[in-house]
Amino acid sequence: MSDNRRILGLRVDNFLALKAIDLHPDPTSNTVELTGKNGQGKTAILLALQSALGGKRMLIDEFGEPIKEPLRRGATSGRIFIDIGHLTREVTVEVQFTNDEWKLIVRDAAGKVQSGPQGILNKLYSAVAFDPESFLRQKPSEQVETLRKLVGIDWSELNAQREKAFLDRTIKGRELDRAKAYLAGLPFHADAPASESTSQELVDALNKLVLANRDGATLKARLDARKNDAAVRGRERAQIAADITRMEAELAEKRVALTQAQDREAEIGRDLLALGTQIADFVPQDETAARQALQQVEDNNRKFRKNKEHEAVNQSLQECQHSYDGFTTLLDAIEADKKDQLEWAEFPMPGLSFRDDVVLFEGIPLNQRSSAEKSRIAINIAAALNPKLPVVLIRNGSLYDSDSLAAIKSEALRLGLHMFIEIVGSDSPSAVVIEA
């Protein structure tokens, strides 16, 4: 079969508003303009082509809703017959239908009925190619998917890798921020020792000094107490002596008391002599140096521990930064791989490309291009999608401005497309006027 197939003929009976039409497009023209007043059947012709070639699932209105009653009112059966080929017939498509039945028959050039008719047609057409404007009506993500499949690029694995790497990098980034904040709040002592010191010897020495001073303080307290006792006993003796003079009658008793007081005073005297000797030999110890040395050790050890913590947090931060940078490198590699695939891909027209979420033309998102440019792009994509049956069906051609319409016709001619376009009013001499 030739690669430049077109619609050689179309016969429609009792389809929607059409009672009967027999259309044979001009073989010297690539454009078939269907013109006439609204409601005369122009759209029905396009729907007949679309549903016969695409199957009953393509029998839908402009809002995408299924048309449940394709049979013209009052008729009992309908038929669509399409003759496809280059210069001569190569295949025919026939649909016999009612509102309840839809029978598809495909025959080869010799008229032999082919098995699996819809499968044969599915290899010849793309729904997007039937109506190039349907590509422009798609969401940006759907446009990317259409173009991606067309040029044979599969980013599913790369996107999965990118999503995982991006998530992992985000987690590491949060850890990195926390580590940086924590490290910023940690003091660092430049004068800290290289290792933590042992302070036990200094503690033992200080304890000995403290005990010695405590013993000295005890001796002094005892001395002061004995001095006080001596004063008390002296007063007691003086009182007894005075009492002896005043109270002769109690002399015997008082003598005993006097003797006892003298004995106690003598004992105290001996203690005073002994304590005096001891206190004379006692030299108070200076604890300042020992306490300062111990404090210095504690300060140095505190600085050392803070520096060790600073070192550990910094090490964790470096490891976190390394992981974060690794994920960034992986993401960059994924993007570079995508860029290489795009550079080697064969797009329908120069300047056409895409990102993950939007189709681009000359680096600018498709929705920011002019209407004429978007129409020209859609036609090129339609041609690439339908290389075996380069037929496009355009509804509402009257809505195109002159530049967009000229761009569509020019591209269709250049690409060898057979274009059927619905226009309310046309001054083309080859236009097909549809009248009820």
Side-chain angles (χ1 to χ4, degrees):
M1 290 186 181
S2 169
D3 288 334
N4 295 318
R5 299 180 186 88
R6 55 187 285 130
I7 304 299
L8 300 178
L10 171 66
R11 171 76 188 188
V12 181
D13 296 304
N14 297 324
F15 182 75
L16 298 178
L18 288 174
K19 181 177 182 181
I21 187 171
D22 196 359
L23 179 63
H24 296 275
D26 182 355
T28 64
S29 175
N30 74 305
T31 301
V32 179
E33 293 187 10
L34 304 174
T35 187
K37 296 179 180 180
N38 288 330
Q40 301 300 303
K42 301 184 297 299
T43 302
I45 292 176
L46 299 183
L47 281 173
L49 285 167
Q50 178 174 298
S51 57
L53 295 174
K56 192 174 182 181
R57 66 186 181 85
M58 295 300 295
L59 185 57
I60 53 178
D61 62 21
E62 58 183 321
F63 304 106
E65 296 297 324
I67 298 174
K68 298 180 179 180
E69 297 183 355
L71 189 63
R72 187 175 68 88
R73 184 171 298 179
T76 58
S77 64
R79 177 174 179 266
I80 303 171
F81 185 86
I82 306 173
D83 204 348
I84 301 173
H86 178 38
L87 297 177
T88 59
R89 173 182 294 174
E90 296 180 14
V91 64
T92 62
V93 177
E94 181 179 359
V95 174
Q96 300 171 2
F97 67 92
T98 66
N99 287 334
D100 300 318
E101 296 182 359
W102 187 273
K103 182 180 180 181
L104 174 64
I105 304 170
V106 175
R107 298 180 176 87
D108 62 14
K112 182 180 178 180
V113 175
Q114 303 295 297
S115 60
Q118 192 60 59
I120 295 173
L121 296 181
N122 289 346
K123 296 177 181 179
L124 297 180
Y125 85 100
S126 162
V128 172
F130 273 156
D131 180 7
E133 289 298 307
S134 66
F135 175 78
L136 299 179
R137 290 193 295 269
Q138 289 178 337
K139 297 177 181 178
S141 59
E142 294 172 341
Q143 291 176 339
V144 169
E145 185 66 10
T146 297
L147 192 54
R148 183 189 66 75
K149 290 181 178 178
L150 174 59
V151 300
I153 290 179
D154 185 1
W155 283 352
S156 56
E157 183 176 348
L158 285 177
N159 285 338
Q161 293 177 7
R162 183 187 185 283
E163 183 177 358
K164 182 180 184 302
F166 186 82
L167 178 61
D168 289 342
R169 188 182 72 166
T170 299
I171 294 173
K172 279 297 177 184
R174 292 170 182 165
E175 293 179 7
L176 190 60
D177 290 341
R178 287 195 295 269
K180 287 180 178 178
Y182 184 63
L183 185 63
L186 280 178
F188 182 81
H189 306 282
D191 59 344
S195 62
E196 193 166 5
S197 301
T198 300
S199 59
Q200 190 58 47
E201 292 181 1
L202 291 172
V203 171
D204 293 343
L206 178 60
N207 287 338
K208 288 181 180 179
L209 295 176
V210 170
L211 290 174
N213 286 334
R214 187 180 298 163
D215 290 343
T218 301
L219 288 174
K220 187 176 183 303
R222 290 176 62 190
L223 177 62
D224 291 340
R226 283 307 187 181
K227 284 181 179 181
N228 185 62
D229 287 345
V232 170
R233 296 309 175 187
R235 289 191 296 274
E236 182 180 344
R237 178 183 55 78
Q239 183 64 45
I240 291 172
D243 289 344
I244 290 174
T245 302
R246 290 193 318 271
M247 296 180 295
E248 247 338 281
E250 300 176 4
L251 180 59
E253 182 181 349
K254 292 296 182 183
R255 285 185 185 277
V256 174
L258 175 61
T259 299
Q260 292 175 347
Q262 288 173 340
D263 290 342
R264 289 194 292 272
E265 187 178 14
E267 181 185 354
I268 291 171
R270 289 191 296 272
D271 286 345
L272 285 173
L273 289 174
L275 289 173
T277 300
Q278 292 181 26
I279 200 69
D281 295 336
F282 174 73
V283 178
Q285 302 296 311
D286 187 358
E287 303 173 8
T288 303
R291 290 188 181 278
Q292 289 177 344
L294 180 60
Q295 184 62 48
Q296 184 63 48
V297 168
E298 289 299 324
D299 289 345
N300 287 342
N301 287 342
R302 178 178 52 78
K303 292 179 180 180
F304 173 80
R305 289 191 292 271
K306 285 296 182 182
N307 282 4
K308 289 292 288 183
E309 183 181 9
H310 190 283
E311 179 183 351
V313 172
N314 189 58
Q315 177 65 28
S316 176
L317 188 149
Q318 297 301 321
E319 293 173 356
C320 190
Q321 183 70 59
H322 180 72
S323 297
Y324 184 89
D325 293 341
F327 289 128
T328 299
T329 300
L330 176 58
L331 289 172
D332 291 342
I334 290 173
E335 294 304 318
D337 192 353
K338 288 183 177 182
K339 183 178 179 182
D340 288 342
Q341 291 186 38
L342 289 174
E343 289 179 353
W344 285 98
E346 295 184 6
F347 285 90
M349 61 186 299
L352 195 59
S353 184
F354 58 84
R355 295 197 304 258
D356 286 324
D357 57 349
V358 66
V359 172
L360 305 172
F361 183 63
E362 296 177 347
I364 299 175
L366 182 61
N367 60 7
Q368 297 180 22
R369 307 301 301 200
S370 69
S371 297
E373 287 176 319
K374 288 190 284 190
S375 297
R376 189 162 61 90
I377 291 168
I379 286 291
N380 275 269
I381 291 176
L385 286 169
N386 271 10
K388 295 183 178 181
L389 182 58
V391 174
V392 294
L393 312 175
I394 298 179
R395 297 183 184 182
N396 301 319
S398 299
L399 300 180
Y400 287 88
D401 58 39
S402 58
D403 290 340
S404 297
L405 191 57
I408 289 174
K409 290 183 177 181
S410 175
E411 284 299 296
L413 179 62
R414 184 182 69 82
L415 296 168
L417 298 177
H418 199 191
M419 182 171 66
F420 289 73
I421 183 169
E422 174 190 345
I423 299 178
V424 173
S426 173
D427 55 4
S428 173
S430 61
V432 178
V433 179
I434 307 299
E435 296 179 342

